[in-house]
Amino acid sequence: MKSLILPAVTAATLGLSFQPALADEAGEAAMAARHGEMSLMAHALGILGGMAKGQVEYEKIKAEAAAETLYVVSSIDQHLLWPEGSEAGALDGSRAKAEIWTNMDDFTAKWNSLHTATEAMKTAAGESQQAIGAAMGAVGGACSACHKAYRTPAS
Amino acid sequence: MKSLILPAVTAATLGLSFQPALADEAGEAAMAARHGEMSLMAHALGILGGMAKGQVEYEKIKAEAAAETLYVVSSIDQHLLWPEGSEAGALDGSRAKAEIWTNMDDFTAKWNSLHTATEAMKTAAGESQQAIGAAMGAVGGACSACHKAYRTPAS
């Protein structure tokens, strides 16, 4: 057994709670991370969607930052985020269908197609309100394709 | 007034809720995005911390994916995420101190120093359990420096 000194790295000093030892807690943390991705993207999409619809003034710098966020978040490697036992029914708060685990290749492909759509959004964001609107179709399509296949309806 | 057609891009089809029109909702969405960043990093830190402490077996691929997540999340441009009026006291659930807005340069520098620390973690993650432990000090230090200065205590 190794005894490793980790100065200043405790939950208290980080101000974070991480408890990897228990499977349940690992599943909860993974689900929270998944939901975190969704919250980050919902916020960025809200800004871009508001600009596209003319509810929010188009500002190049803001649009580019929002698009970059979509691009960066959709680049996150998903393989740590979907531990077995973190599906709807097994874990409170999860809306992940069990089909994710039986179709992991398709699930991953759908995630990657979102990343591709955000690349086009990055370009559009630097151009104009109209370009953002045009790019939104592919981003929204990628979101809904995955949600439709792999997320249970909201209760 | 422009009327822009956005096929398939509604909250319903995306399965997301974004309502950029109202300031309160924009603040809520920004806070959720901030908390999303924290959840993503807490999960990744849990995996790396567990490995460093020997509670979880060191696996190079997992360690690298977790470190990459830290690196990617800490690269997210923060300037959209901290709208005025989203501080503790003004917005339910926020623990953001008002000092963030009066010290935005320092706040941003602290965020960037986290990103720098995660770069070293990326290298360490490919090496060994011991290297991860050594890199954790700087990452933890960056987390706690910002939390100490800019986050209210947990209630």
Side-chain angles (χ1 to χ4, degrees), chain A residues 38-56 136, chain B residues 9-32 83 91:
Chain A
M38 297 300 109
S39 296
L40 277 159
M41 293 200 287
H43 177 247
L45 283 168
I47 291 166
L48 292 166
M51 285 182 190
K53 289 184 238 167
Q55 293 169 344
V56 176
M136 200 59 118
Chain B
V9 183
T10 64
T13 56
L14 291 180
L16 295 168
S17 53
F18 56 85
Q19 303 289 348
L22 301 172
D24 276 6
E25 287 171 345
E28 295 273 1
M31 181 178 68
L91 186 61

Side-chain angles (χ1 to χ4, degrees), chain B residues 41-68:
Chain B
M41 293 201 287
H43 177 247
L45 283 167
I47 291 166
L48 291 165
M51 287 182 189
K53 289 185 236 166
Q55 294 169 344
V56 176
E57 194 187 353
Y58 170 69
E59 287 178 65
K60 183 175 152 76
I61 290 176
K62 285 190 179 177
E64 286 180 333
E68 179 70 23

Side-chain angles (χ1 to χ4, degrees), chain A residues 22-35:
Chain A
L22 300 172
D24 276 5
E25 288 171 344
E28 295 273 1
M31 180 178 68
R34 280 145 35 182
H35 293 172

